[in-house]
Amino acid sequence: MSGSDDSQREAMPRDTNHSSASRRAFLGAAGAAATTGLAGCTGMLGGGGDSTTTLRVTAWSGNYGERFRQAIKPIFESRFDAELEVNTGWNSLLAKIQSAPADDPPFDVTVTCEPIYYNGRNAGLFEELRYEENIPNIDNVMQHYKDVRPISHGAPADGAPLTILYRDSLDQPVETWSDFTSESVKNSAGVGVDGGFWIYPLLGAGVGTDAAPAANELYQEQHHEQLINTLEEWPITGWANSGTDIWRQFQGGTIDAAQWYFGQVYYDMENHEDVSFSMPDANAGYMDNWAVVRGTDKRTLGEEFINMLLDPEVQSKWSEDHPLFFTTEDMSYAGDLGEYLPSTAEEAQNMALPRWGELADYSEKFSNTVKQMKTN
């Protein structure tokens, strides 16, 4: 994810790369996707009185948006008598909604992550979701994902674990978040991290600090000094706003290791033969909650679209184009993705996801800390 320092840029991860716990990336099959049939395209009429047959959806910029359009647009248009317009963005989603007339939003449905979801919900920028009426597939979602944060205004559909990238020439592989303070990494060119969305490097540092389970150091003030000390111990030499930035830093010799996101790097690993990835068993990640924008005249169609995203068949098909984790119990990952991504509640609980409601009081402190690190 990537975001601004001040507001976490309302955003989310961008292009990424990742790897699996304590093992080298299995590149040969990285792009191979199992063919999953999509049955049950019903040709449902969406919109319930909506004035147009175009649903405007905002997805994350970068390869997330490209893969989302490739996977989801044809499914939606085969199931509904409507067109899907996919726009992309990340750093001004809430500002765009706030600046538009209350009854004429710039898009109908949007992806959100924390803190965008928290801030947008509290500002009244999202419609309350009518699950019983239009989103019965919420019952397919693992209870753990529904418990991470309130789902009243956004349904949890997808996300990605954090991933460690490292150069093969390092003395030792970088396999856990505590390895970012190892002598091998400290003696390297340095580490690249997400320079906008500070919560994700902090989550990785929290897992590596291990003062509290599941990176709970972020929410317990008595651990903040130790958590900040751990992050400051990382030899950070690259601050990135996208996966493209991370790859350029590797190529330019600025970094030899990095924190990034599995969903945006795994299918691209074969293009970087001198870099491997690790996915620690104890890990962190981000999760997307999909929301209907306040004032849209396509509220019903928007909810039906979100319901479609929670269909296990759709999520299975989606994984062929995009190596995200998905939230429903009965979806099946394409290819070898199941080796790396959580598919059970127990596996999901090993991935620390941000709980902004518990973090909000401390966000200014952490934001200022990262700002100081970036200017030193």
Side-chain angles (χ1 to χ4, degrees):
M1 298 176 90
S2 290
S4 81
D5 293 326
D6 299 324
S7 62
Q8 287 286 274
R9 237 173 184 170
E10 309 171 3
M12 114 145 265
R14 315 199 110 187
D15 311 312
T16 342
N17 269 11
H18 103 140
S19 105
S20 133
S22 306
R23 38 187 178 189
R24 278 294 269 281
F26 177 54
L27 302 179
T35 303
T36 307
L38 252 189
C41 293
T42 60
M44 296 159 51
L45 287 176
D50 296 329
S51 60
T52 83
T53 56
T54 298
L55 185 72
R56 302 165 301 164
V57 172
T58 294
W60 302 123
S61 298
N63 65 19
Y64 183 103
E66 296 166 5
R67 289 169 173 162
F68 181 86
R69 185 182 290 108
Q70 180 177 340
I72 298 302
K73 181 176 169 66
I75 298 174
F76 175 83
E77 292 179 353
S78 72
R79 292 192 173 197
F80 293 85
D81 185 19
E83 293 185 1
L84 188 68
E85 177 185 305
V86 179
N87 304 298
T88 60
W90 61 281
N91 63 339
S92 301
L93 294 181
L94 298 185
K96 290 177 181 176
I97 300 171
Q98 288 174 315
S99 63
D103 60 351
D104 188 18
F107 32 85
D108 306 304
V109 176
T110 187
V111 65
T112 74
C113 66
E114 297 289 43
I116 298 177
Y117 179 58
Y118 176 89
N119 292 333
R121 188 175 73 250
N122 286 346
L125 300 182
F126 307 139
E127 297 283 0
E128 188 167 356
L129 295 180
R130 299 168 295 185
Y131 285 103
E132 290 190 11
E133 269 183 70
N134 297 317
I135 315 178
N137 283 338
I138 191 65
D139 293 340
N140 297 324
V141 175
M142 293 184 207
Q143 189 62 44
H144 170 72
Y145 294 124
K146 291 188 280 190
D147 291 341
V148 169
R149 60 187 67 118
I151 64 170
S152 56
H153 294 73
D158 63 287
L162 302 190
T163 293
I164 296 170
L165 300 171
Y166 64 93
R167 202 181 299 277
D168 294 337
S169 58
L170 289 180
D171 293 339
Q172 298 290 332
V174 186
E175 298 178 336
T176 69
W177 295 108
S178 60
D179 288 345
F180 272 41
T181 57
S182 67
E183 289 304 310
S184 176
V185 173
K186 286 184 175 180
N187 293 330
S188 73
V191 169
V193 301
D194 191 333
F197 224 156
W198 49 255
I199 189 172
Y200 294 100
L202 272 172
L203 279 169
V207 173
T209 300
D210 202 26
N216 280 331
E217 294 91 342
L218 275 82
Y219 318 110
Q220 299 173 9
E221 195 166 8
Q222 69 268 29
H223 296 306
H224 286 179
E225 183 176 357
Q226 185 177 1
L227 173 61
I228 290 170
N229 288 343
T230 298
L231 186 64
E232 290 178 337
E233 244 192 292
W234 289 11
I236 299 174
T237 53
W239 299 92
N241 286 322
S242 70
T244 300
D245 289 347
I246 286 290
W247 290 126
R248 286 173 178 162
Q249 290 170 9
F250 270 112
Q251 291 162 359
T254 304
I255 62 173
D256 284 328
Q259 164 265 317
W260 210 247
Y261 309 94
F262 183 78
Q264 292 164 1
V265 298
Y266 183 57
Y267 282 171
D268 299 325
M269 287 300 299
E270 59 188 353
N271 300 323
H272 305 275
E273 295 181 356
D274 62 337
V275 178
S276 293
F277 74 90
S278 294
M279 288 270 289
D281 290 335
N283 203 2
Y286 76 84
M287 182 174 71
D288 294 328
N289 288 66
W290 287 82
V292 174
V293 179
R294 66 109 205 255
T296 176
D297 61 352
K298 303 178 187 67
R299 183 180 179 187
T300 296
L301 183 58
E303 290 173 335
E304 292 172 343
F305 169 79
I306 292 172
N307 189 59
M308 186 196 78
L309 295 184
L310 302 182
D311 183 334
E313 283 190 273
V314 170
Q315 294 193 347
S316 300
K317 183 69 175 176
W318 192 354
S319 75
E320 296 180 15
D321 292 296
H322 207 164
L324 300 165
F325 78 73
F326 295 99
T327 59
T328 64
E329 294 191 47
D330 296 329
M331 67 83 53
S332 298
Y333 286 109
D336 64 344
L337 293 180
E339 296 181 30
Y340 307 118
L341 298 172
S343 55
T344 67
E346 182 179 2
E347 292 171 349
Q349 289 165 7
N350 287 332
M351 179 175 55
L353 298 169
R355 306 188 301 274
W356 204 263
E358 299 176 44
L359 183 65
D361 289 344
Y362 311 121
S363 62
E364 185 175 359
K365 175 205 297 188
F366 288 131
S367 177
N368 289 336
T369 296
V370 172
K371 282 182 182 178
Q372 290 179 336
M373 292 177 65
K374 293 169 74 172
T375 56
N376 289 341

